[in-house]
Amino acid sequence: MKRIGISAPLISQGHWRMFDALGEIFGIRFEECNFANDTDIDAWLYLEFNPESMLRIQHTQLPSYAVISEKYLTSCGASSAIKFNRNLLIPEVLRNREVRSDEVIKLKGLPDWLQNATTLACKAESPIWAVQGQRDYNHHYLSLPMPELNSDEPIFHRFNGNQFLALLPFLAFLRELTNDNRWESPPLQACFMFDDPNLHWPTYGFINFSEMVKHAELHNYHVSFATIPLDTWFTHKITAGLFQKHHDKISLLMHGNDHLADELARKIPNKERNRMLKQALFRIEKLEKYANVSVARVMAPPHGACSEEAFKEMALMGYEAACVSRGSLMYHNKHASWVRSLGMRPADNIYGLPVFPRFRISMDCQNSILVAALLNQPIIPVGHHQDVAENMDMLAHLSDFINSLGKVQWGNMTSISRSHYSKMIDKDILHLQMYSNIAELLIPEGINFILVERPWLKVGAMEPLLIKTAGGLKNLVPIEFKEPIAVLPGQQIQIISSQISQSQNNDNSLYKLTLWPGIRRLITETRDRLAPISRRLSK
């Protein structure tokens, strides 16, 4: 475990909370230390850096992160923009990019006495992040303050679309320190998501599926619609045919079961929760069979409401993942131990179920897009049919921005989940760090072994791995922590990390219908479908 020594006159409780959370994420220990003794210290952190500290830092051969004391900073105006340069120390999606945020307005520049440093980011030509690089280590200098956490506050409150710049350089520093950069990160992946649409008709509210396909082809994006299993009682064949033909541009995932308020977050008996989740799968399987369309086994809980118990049950039943905003996860699981570091990894794993963050779509959600990319998370802006009431210009605008970040893989939630892993090659061993329960990959030439890492498993823990090859062979292997698996170069394989699934018996309870969910859904769907007519009449 790496150790970071902290040099500061006083370390606040808010800072210690931040360091504890970061330590949990990166596997790092933060300790208050005397600069004169750097035994067993891997890096230094200065919270009140001054000219005297400058003399000390010049003589250390350890990586350092120095937050300049407020009284030495220089005024540089009230601009809300930061410009990053092309330096390789800057995350790739930010290189040569200007970012705007209200948190920048009061930000000051680095002092003039900081000499011979390379500017990484500036505000109005004044450096706010600079580095002095040596062969084996770098000293980072920041005018950005180190964020603090309040009691019981999650770290994502300091790293989100509204504010993320203050913590960004320190995250880059920690990744460099922990050799996180040795890994090839998951690919840039993206998917627009709209809640509620079904296949009852070629349109749903303001969404015209055919027009959206044409627009997606023109602007290079993919849209996935979170459909309600209750709605699978009827399918319009022409609409289903559109989804079959253009599966590369439009797709489906699951949206609850009956779409009742808090249906996945309610305190109900496990037997009833189990029945509800089984029924959702049963209904979706019927839709797939009748309409010949694929539906991702990824759950987008209605209104983002989902409990720990529901996640655990879904993992046992074969759901591949869930997709929920960080705010909703926290709101419905306030007292869960995992909330503190929630949403800061490529994916969270809650009781065996991978959970991908999503965020509200808008014309100005670019910073939320950047945050997802910086955290190696899929970029998933979500909305409703009303968001395209005027036109689809917002989708064109956002897809152009997302595509400017690099080589982006747009796809459905199944393909996103199954290709979301990091990898590293060491001689003839391919190291694979899974962030979801299923990974699909082609074994590169020269690779004879694959070593699977599952960050959610504790050391010594075991969870079965199902290895599937293109030939259809299956081997259920109880793989121990970091045990290599023999593979063949050029082989297409699927790796499934799974708990023991519960049986999916088609008992009578799966056909159970209650009156209120059907009536409620009929009312809300009628409202949505009449919205375009109401809009035209009101003009």
Side-chain angles (χ1 to χ4, degrees), residues 84-111:
F84 295 89
N85 72 13
R86 296 178 179 272
N87 194 289
L88 294 180
L89 291 173
I90 297 171
E92 187 174 356
V93 295
L94 292 178
R95 292 173 194 165
N96 200 35
R97 187 176 296 278
E98 182 176 274
V99 176
R100 293 186 174 274
S101 174
D102 289 344
E103 63 180 316
V104 179
I105 294 174
K106 294 182 179 180
L107 193 62
K108 295 182 178 180
L110 292 171

PDB file of all heavy atoms in Angstrom, residues 84-111:
ATOM      1  N   PHE A  84      -6.648  23.920 -20.649  1.00  0.00           N
ATOM      2  CA  PHE A  84      -5.626  22.889 -20.441  1.00  0.00           C
ATOM      3  C   PHE A  84      -4.727  22.814 -21.666  1.00  0.00           C
ATOM      4  O   PHE A  84      -5.178  23.033 -22.796  1.00  0.00           O
ATOM      5  CB  PHE A  84      -6.282  21.526 -20.200  1.00  0.00           C
ATOM      6  CG  PHE A  84      -7.089  21.436 -18.931  1.00  0.00           C
ATOM      7  CD1 PHE A  84      -8.440  21.769 -18.916  1.00  0.00           C
ATOM      8  CD2 PHE A  84      -6.501  21.033 -17.743  1.00  0.00           C
ATOM      9  CE1 PHE A  84      -9.182  21.691 -17.752  1.00  0.00           C
ATOM     10  CE2 PHE A  84      -7.237  20.950 -16.571  1.00  0.00           C
ATOM     11  CZ  PHE A  84      -8.578  21.284 -16.578  1.00  0.00           C
ATOM     12  N   ASN A  85      -3.447  22.481 -21.451  1.00  0.00           N
ATOM     13  CA  ASN A  85      -2.573  22.324 -22.602  1.00  0.00           C
ATOM     14  C   ASN A  85      -2.505  20.853 -23.030  1.00  0.00           C
ATOM     15  O   ASN A  85      -3.315  20.039 -22.591  1.00  0.00           O
ATOM     16  CB  ASN A  85      -1.175  22.911 -22.325  1.00  0.00           C
ATOM     17  CG  ASN A  85      -0.359  22.068 -21.353  1.00  0.00           C
ATOM     18  OD1 ASN A  85      -0.699  20.924 -21.039  1.00  0.00           O
ATOM     19  ND2 ASN A  85       0.734  22.629 -20.871  1.00  0.00           N
ATOM     20  N   ARG A  86      -1.526  20.484 -23.836  1.00  0.00           N
ATOM     21  CA  ARG A  86      -1.468  19.135 -24.403  1.00  0.00           C
ATOM     22  C   ARG A  86      -0.561  18.188 -23.624  1.00  0.00           C
ATOM     23  O   ARG A  86      -0.272  17.094 -24.075  1.00  0.00           O
ATOM     24  CB  ARG A  86      -0.971  19.213 -25.856  1.00  0.00           C
ATOM     25  CG  ARG A  86      -1.897  19.955 -26.790  1.00  0.00           C
ATOM     26  CD  ARG A  86      -1.297  20.010 -28.200  1.00  0.00           C
ATOM     27  NE  ARG A  86      -2.161  20.697 -29.138  1.00  0.00           N
ATOM     28  CZ  ARG A  86      -3.122  20.118 -29.834  1.00  0.00           C
ATOM     29  NH1 ARG A  86      -3.341  18.816 -29.691  1.00  0.00           N
ATOM     30  NH2 ARG A  86      -3.868  20.808 -30.669  1.00  0.00           N
ATOM     31  N   ASN A  87      -0.061  18.592 -22.475  1.00  0.00           N
ATOM     32  CA  ASN A  87       0.882  17.788 -21.719  1.00  0.00           C
ATOM     33  C   ASN A  87       0.313  16.403 -21.414  1.00  0.00           C
ATOM     34  O   ASN A  87      -0.871  16.244 -21.107  1.00  0.00           O
ATOM     35  CB  ASN A  87       1.246  18.504 -20.415  1.00  0.00           C
ATOM     36  CG  ASN A  87       2.469  17.906 -19.743  1.00  0.00           C
ATOM     37  OD1 ASN A  87       2.426  16.805 -19.209  1.00  0.00           O
ATOM     38  ND2 ASN A  87       3.568  18.649 -19.778  1.00  0.00           N
ATOM     39  N   LEU A  88       1.171  15.376 -21.465  1.00  0.00           N
ATOM     40  CA  LEU A  88       0.728  14.002 -21.244  1.00  0.00           C
ATOM     41  C   LEU A  88       0.291  13.740 -19.811  1.00  0.00           C
ATOM     42  O   LEU A  88      -0.354  12.711 -19.532  1.00  0.00           O
ATOM     43  CB  LEU A  88       1.848  13.033 -21.632  1.00  0.00           C
ATOM     44  CG  LEU A  88       2.230  12.995 -23.122  1.00  0.00           C
ATOM     45  CD1 LEU A  88       3.353  11.992 -23.357  1.00  0.00           C
ATOM     46  CD2 LEU A  88       1.029  12.664 -23.991  1.00  0.00           C
ATOM     47  N   LEU A  89       0.637  14.629 -18.878  1.00  0.00           N
ATOM     48  CA  LEU A  89       0.182  14.470 -17.498  1.00  0.00           C
ATOM     49  C   LEU A  89      -1.299  14.812 -17.339  1.00  0.00           C
ATOM     50  O   LEU A  89      -1.921  14.485 -16.328  1.00  0.00           O
ATOM     51  CB  LEU A  89       1.016  15.351 -16.561  1.00  0.00           C
ATOM     52  CG  LEU A  89       2.482  14.928 -16.379  1.00  0.00           C
ATOM     53  CD1 LEU A  89       3.222  15.980 -15.562  1.00  0.00           C
ATOM     54  CD2 LEU A  89       2.571  13.564 -15.708  1.00  0.00           C
ATOM     55  N   ILE A  90      -1.846  15.492 -18.341  1.00  0.00           N
ATOM     56  CA  ILE A  90      -3.259  15.874 -18.303  1.00  0.00           C
ATOM     57  C   ILE A  90      -4.092  14.732 -18.881  1.00  0.00           C
ATOM     58  O   ILE A  90      -3.717  14.132 -19.896  1.00  0.00           O
ATOM     59  CB  ILE A  90      -3.487  17.163 -19.129  1.00  0.00           C
ATOM     60  CG1 ILE A  90      -2.711  18.320 -18.513  1.00  0.00           C
ATOM     61  CG2 ILE A  90      -4.963  17.511 -19.217  1.00  0.00           C
ATOM     62  CD1 ILE A  90      -2.696  19.556 -19.367  1.00  0.00           C
ATOM     63  N   PRO A  91      -5.207  14.386 -18.256  1.00  0.00           N
ATOM     64  CA  PRO A  91      -6.078  13.350 -18.829  1.00  0.00           C
ATOM     65  C   PRO A  91      -6.394  13.655 -20.296  1.00  0.00           C
ATOM     66  O   PRO A  91      -6.640  14.803 -20.662  1.00  0.00           O
ATOM     67  CB  PRO A  91      -7.337  13.417 -17.952  1.00  0.00           C
ATOM     68  CG  PRO A  91      -6.842  13.929 -16.636  1.00  0.00           C
ATOM     69  CD  PRO A  91      -5.742  14.898 -16.969  1.00  0.00           C
ATOM     70  N   GLU A  92      -6.382  12.639 -21.103  1.00  0.00           N
ATOM     71  CA  GLU A  92      -6.473  12.820 -22.551  1.00  0.00           C
ATOM     72  C   GLU A  92      -7.698  13.610 -22.986  1.00  0.00           C
ATOM     73  O   GLU A  92      -7.624  14.427 -23.901  1.00  0.00           O
ATOM     74  CB  GLU A  92      -6.467  11.450 -23.244  1.00  0.00           C
ATOM     75  CG  GLU A  92      -6.392  11.522 -24.747  1.00  0.00           C
ATOM     76  CD  GLU A  92      -6.231  10.156 -25.393  1.00  0.00           C
ATOM     77  OE1 GLU A  92      -6.107   9.167 -24.643  1.00  0.00           O
ATOM     78  OE2 GLU A  92      -6.222  10.085 -26.635  1.00  0.00           O
ATOM     79  N   VAL A  93      -8.847  13.390 -22.347  1.00  0.00           N
ATOM     80  CA  VAL A  93     -10.075  14.060 -22.786  1.00  0.00           C
ATOM     81  C   VAL A  93     -10.051  15.568 -22.502  1.00  0.00           C
ATOM     82  O   VAL A  93     -10.902  16.308 -23.004  1.00  0.00           O
ATOM     83  CB  VAL A  93     -11.323  13.437 -22.121  1.00  0.00           C
ATOM     84  CG1 VAL A  93     -11.499  11.997 -22.573  1.00  0.00           C
ATOM     85  CG2 VAL A  93     -11.269  13.541 -20.603  1.00  0.00           C
ATOM     86  N   LEU A  94      -9.063  16.029 -21.704  1.00  0.00           N
ATOM     87  CA  LEU A  94      -8.975  17.453 -21.373  1.00  0.00           C
ATOM     88  C   LEU A  94      -7.861  18.173 -22.126  1.00  0.00           C
ATOM     89  O   LEU A  94      -7.778  19.406 -22.056  1.00  0.00           O
ATOM     90  CB  LEU A  94      -8.751  17.637 -19.869  1.00  0.00           C
ATOM     91  CG  LEU A  94      -9.904  17.253 -18.947  1.00  0.00           C
ATOM     92  CD1 LEU A  94      -9.500  17.439 -17.490  1.00  0.00           C
ATOM     93  CD2 LEU A  94     -11.154  18.074 -19.254  1.00  0.00           C
ATOM     94  N   ARG A  95      -7.035  17.452 -22.829  1.00  0.00           N
ATOM     95  CA  ARG A  95      -5.893  18.079 -23.490  1.00  0.00           C
ATOM     96  C   ARG A  95      -6.344  19.080 -24.548  1.00  0.00           C
ATOM     97  O   ARG A  95      -7.192  18.774 -25.387  1.00  0.00           O
ATOM     98  CB  ARG A  95      -4.982  17.018 -24.100  1.00  0.00           C
ATOM     99  CG  ARG A  95      -4.270  16.170 -23.045  1.00  0.00           C
ATOM    100  CD  ARG A  95      -3.504  15.011 -23.664  1.00  0.00           C
ATOM    101  NE  ARG A  95      -3.130  14.055 -22.616  1.00  0.00           N
ATOM    102  CZ  ARG A  95      -2.711  12.829 -22.847  1.00  0.00           C
ATOM    103  NH1 ARG A  95      -2.586  12.392 -24.091  1.00  0.00           N
ATOM    104  NH2 ARG A  95      -2.404  12.018 -21.844  1.00  0.00           N
ATOM    105  N   ASN A  96      -5.763  20.278 -24.457  1.00  0.00           N
ATOM    106  CA  ASN A  96      -6.069  21.374 -25.382  1.00  0.00           C
ATOM    107  C   ASN A  96      -7.557  21.731 -25.367  1.00  0.00           C
ATOM    108  O   ASN A  96      -8.116  22.143 -26.382  1.00  0.00           O
ATOM    109  CB  ASN A  96      -5.641  21.018 -26.809  1.00  0.00           C
ATOM    110  CG  ASN A  96      -5.480  22.260 -27.671  1.00  0.00           C
ATOM    111  OD1 ASN A  96      -5.055  23.317 -27.197  1.00  0.00           O
ATOM    112  ND2 ASN A  96      -5.842  22.164 -28.936  1.00  0.00           N
ATOM    113  N   ARG A  97      -8.187  21.594 -24.211  1.00  0.00           N
ATOM    114  CA  ARG A  97      -9.623  21.872 -24.099  1.00  0.00           C
ATOM    115  C   ARG A  97      -9.868  22.982 -23.084  1.00  0.00           C
ATOM    116  O   ARG A  97      -9.187  23.073 -22.061  1.00  0.00           O
ATOM    117  CB  ARG A  97     -10.366  20.604 -23.669  1.00  0.00           C
ATOM    118  CG  ARG A  97     -11.893  20.749 -23.693  1.00  0.00           C
ATOM    119  CD  ARG A  97     -12.564  19.424 -23.362  1.00  0.00           C
ATOM    120  NE  ARG A  97     -12.296  18.402 -24.350  1.00  0.00           N
ATOM    121  CZ  ARG A  97     -12.954  18.283 -25.500  1.00  0.00           C
ATOM    122  NH1 ARG A  97     -13.929  19.137 -25.797  1.00  0.00           N
ATOM    123  NH2 ARG A  97     -12.650  17.309 -26.340  1.00  0.00           N
ATOM    124  N   GLU A  98     -10.860  23.812 -23.371  1.00  0.00           N
ATOM    125  CA  GLU A  98     -11.289  24.846 -22.430  1.00  0.00           C
ATOM    126  C   GLU A  98     -12.537  24.358 -21.703  1.00  0.00           C
ATOM    127  O   GLU A  98     -13.472  23.863 -22.328  1.00  0.00           O
ATOM    128  CB  GLU A  98     -11.588  26.154 -23.162  1.00  0.00           C
ATOM    129  CG  GLU A  98     -11.987  27.301 -22.236  1.00  0.00           C
ATOM    130  CD  GLU A  98     -12.191  28.610 -22.976  1.00  0.00           C
ATOM    131  OE1 GLU A  98     -11.200  29.343 -23.190  1.00  0.00           O
ATOM    132  OE2 GLU A  98     -13.359  28.894 -23.345  1.00  0.00           O
ATOM    133  N   VAL A  99     -12.517  24.484 -20.388  1.00  0.00           N
ATOM    134  CA  VAL A  99     -13.635  24.039 -19.559  1.00  0.00           C
ATOM    135  C   VAL A  99     -14.160  25.223 -18.765  1.00  0.00           C
ATOM    136  O   VAL A  99     -13.383  26.003 -18.199  1.00  0.00           O
ATOM    137  CB  VAL A  99     -13.197  22.917 -18.593  1.00  0.00           C
ATOM    138  CG1 VAL A  99     -14.338  22.532 -17.658  1.00  0.00           C
ATOM    139  CG2 VAL A  99     -12.711  21.707 -19.368  1.00  0.00           C
ATOM    140  N   ARG A 100     -15.475  25.367 -18.735  1.00  0.00           N
ATOM    141  CA  ARG A 100     -16.096  26.453 -17.984  1.00  0.00           C
ATOM    142  C   ARG A 100     -16.863  25.912 -16.781  1.00  0.00           C
ATOM    143  O   ARG A 100     -17.567  24.913 -16.881  1.00  0.00           O
ATOM    144  CB  ARG A 100     -17.040  27.264 -18.875  1.00  0.00           C
ATOM    145  CG  ARG A 100     -16.311  28.037 -19.969  1.00  0.00           C
ATOM    146  CD  ARG A 100     -17.225  28.948 -20.762  1.00  0.00           C
ATOM    147  NE  ARG A 100     -16.456  29.754 -21.701  1.00  0.00           N
ATOM    148  CZ  ARG A 100     -15.894  30.910 -21.396  1.00  0.00           C
ATOM    149  NH1 ARG A 100     -16.034  31.413 -20.175  1.00  0.00           N
ATOM    150  NH2 ARG A 100     -15.205  31.574 -22.305  1.00  0.00           N
ATOM    151  N   SER A 101     -16.695  26.590 -15.650  1.00  0.00           N
ATOM    152  CA  SER A 101     -17.384  26.189 -14.425  1.00  0.00           C
ATOM    153  C   SER A 101     -17.401  27.371 -13.461  1.00  0.00           C
ATOM    154  O   SER A 101     -16.435  28.134 -13.396  1.00  0.00           O
ATOM    155  CB  SER A 101     -16.672  24.992 -13.775  1.00  0.00           C
ATOM    156  OG  SER A 101     -17.244  24.684 -12.521  1.00  0.00           O
ATOM    157  N   ASP A 102     -18.483  27.516 -12.727  1.00  0.00           N
ATOM    158  CA  ASP A 102     -18.586  28.614 -11.758  1.00  0.00           C
ATOM    159  C   ASP A 102     -17.525  28.536 -10.675  1.00  0.00           C
ATOM    160  O   ASP A 102     -17.179  29.550 -10.061  1.00  0.00           O
ATOM    161  CB  ASP A 102     -19.978  28.623 -11.120  1.00  0.00           C
ATOM    162  CG  ASP A 102     -21.065  29.078 -12.099  1.00  0.00           C
ATOM    163  OD1 ASP A 102     -20.702  29.655 -13.145  1.00  0.00           O
ATOM    164  OD2 ASP A 102     -22.255  28.837 -11.823  1.00  0.00           O
ATOM    165  N   GLU A 103     -17.002  27.351 -10.418  1.00  0.00           N
ATOM    166  CA  GLU A 103     -15.988  27.209  -9.371  1.00  0.00           C
ATOM    167  C   GLU A 103     -14.680  27.908  -9.750  1.00  0.00           C
ATOM    168  O   GLU A 103     -13.812  28.117  -8.913  1.00  0.00           O
ATOM    169  CB  GLU A 103     -15.718  25.731  -9.062  1.00  0.00           C
ATOM    170  CG  GLU A 103     -15.163  24.940 -10.218  1.00  0.00           C
ATOM    171  CD  GLU A 103     -14.897  23.481  -9.887  1.00  0.00           C
ATOM    172  OE1 GLU A 103     -14.345  23.202  -8.798  1.00  0.00           O
ATOM    173  OE2 GLU A 103     -15.250  22.624 -10.716  1.00  0.00           O
ATOM    174  N   VAL A 104     -14.539  28.278 -11.023  1.00  0.00           N
ATOM    175  CA  VAL A 104     -13.312  28.925 -11.500  1.00  0.00           C
ATOM    176  C   VAL A 104     -13.319  30.425 -11.233  1.00  0.00           C
ATOM    177  O   VAL A 104     -12.263  31.050 -11.119  1.00  0.00           O
ATOM    178  CB  VAL A 104     -13.126  28.662 -13.012  1.00  0.00           C
ATOM    179  CG1 VAL A 104     -11.874  29.345 -13.553  1.00  0.00           C
ATOM    180  CG2 VAL A 104     -13.076  27.163 -13.290  1.00  0.00           C
ATOM    181  N   ILE A 105     -14.487  31.034 -11.108  1.00  0.00           N
ATOM    182  CA  ILE A 105     -14.614  32.492 -11.067  1.00  0.00           C
ATOM    183  C   ILE A 105     -13.727  33.130  -9.999  1.00  0.00           C
ATOM    184  O   ILE A 105     -13.025  34.119 -10.250  1.00  0.00           O
ATOM    185  CB  ILE A 105     -16.093  32.889 -10.854  1.00  0.00           C
ATOM    186  CG1 ILE A 105     -16.925  32.469 -12.076  1.00  0.00           C
ATOM    187  CG2 ILE A 105     -16.220  34.395 -10.610  1.00  0.00           C
ATOM    188  CD1 ILE A 105     -18.421  32.682 -11.912  1.00  0.00           C
ATOM    189  N   LYS A 106     -13.711  32.563  -8.798  1.00  0.00           N
ATOM    190  CA  LYS A 106     -12.925  33.149  -7.709  1.00  0.00           C
ATOM    191  C   LYS A 106     -11.503  32.592  -7.633  1.00  0.00           C
ATOM    192  O   LYS A 106     -10.739  32.967  -6.741  1.00  0.00           O
ATOM    193  CB  LYS A 106     -13.644  32.916  -6.376  1.00  0.00           C
ATOM    194  CG  LYS A 106     -14.980  33.649  -6.267  1.00  0.00           C
ATOM    195  CD  LYS A 106     -15.608  33.420  -4.892  1.00  0.00           C
ATOM    196  CE  LYS A 106     -16.929  34.169  -4.770  1.00  0.00           C
ATOM    197  NZ  LYS A 106     -17.557  33.956  -3.433  1.00  0.00           N
ATOM    198  N   LEU A 107     -11.167  31.731  -8.548  1.00  0.00           N
ATOM    199  CA  LEU A 107      -9.852  31.086  -8.532  1.00  0.00           C
ATOM    200  C   LEU A 107      -8.742  32.087  -8.865  1.00  0.00           C
ATOM    201  O   LEU A 107      -8.889  32.926  -9.752  1.00  0.00           O
ATOM    202  CB  LEU A 107      -9.835  29.944  -9.536  1.00  0.00           C
ATOM    203  CG  LEU A 107      -8.674  28.962  -9.470  1.00  0.00           C
ATOM    204  CD1 LEU A 107      -8.658  28.241  -8.136  1.00  0.00           C
ATOM    205  CD2 LEU A 107      -8.806  27.945 -10.610  1.00  0.00           C
ATOM    206  N   LYS A 108      -7.622  31.995  -8.138  1.00  0.00           N
ATOM    207  CA  LYS A 108      -6.472  32.863  -8.375  1.00  0.00           C
ATOM    208  C   LYS A 108      -5.336  32.070  -9.017  1.00  0.00           C
ATOM    209  O   LYS A 108      -5.373  30.841  -9.091  1.00  0.00           O
ATOM    210  CB  LYS A 108      -6.008  33.483  -7.057  1.00  0.00           C
ATOM    211  CG  LYS A 108      -7.034  34.428  -6.432  1.00  0.00           C
ATOM    212  CD  LYS A 108      -6.493  35.054  -5.150  1.00  0.00           C
ATOM    213  CE  LYS A 108      -7.507  36.027  -4.557  1.00  0.00           C
ATOM    214  NZ  LYS A 108      -6.999  36.656  -3.309  1.00  0.00           N
ATOM    215  N   GLY A 109      -4.307  32.811  -9.472  1.00  0.00           N
ATOM    216  CA  GLY A 109      -3.194  32.189 -10.173  1.00  0.00           C
ATOM    217  C   GLY A 109      -2.030  31.864  -9.255  1.00  0.00           C
ATOM    218  O   GLY A 109      -1.950  32.322  -8.104  1.00  0.00           O
ATOM    219  N   LEU A 110      -1.090  31.073  -9.771  1.00  0.00           N
ATOM    220  CA  LEU A 110       0.107  30.718  -9.023  1.00  0.00           C
ATOM    221  C   LEU A 110       1.024  31.927  -8.856  1.00  0.00           C
ATOM    222  O   LEU A 110       1.007  32.854  -9.677  1.00  0.00           O
ATOM    223  CB  LEU A 110       0.857  29.593  -9.752  1.00  0.00           C
ATOM    224  CG  LEU A 110       0.148  28.233  -9.780  1.00  0.00           C
ATOM    225  CD1 LEU A 110       0.885  27.272 -10.707  1.00  0.00           C
ATOM    226  CD2 LEU A 110       0.040  27.640  -8.379  1.00  0.00           C
ATOM    227  N   PRO A 111       1.848  31.959  -7.798  1.00  0.00           N
ATOM    228  CA  PRO A 111       2.708  33.128  -7.523  1.00  0.00           C
ATOM    229  C   PRO A 111       3.857  33.261  -8.529  1.00  0.00           C
ATOM    230  O   PRO A 111       4.276  32.279  -9.153  1.00  0.00           O
ATOM    231  CB  PRO A 111       3.229  32.838  -6.118  1.00  0.00           C
ATOM    232  CG  PRO A 111       3.170  31.353  -5.986  1.00  0.00           C
ATOM    233  CD  PRO A 111       1.966  30.916  -6.760  1.00  0.00           C
TER     234      PRO A 111
END
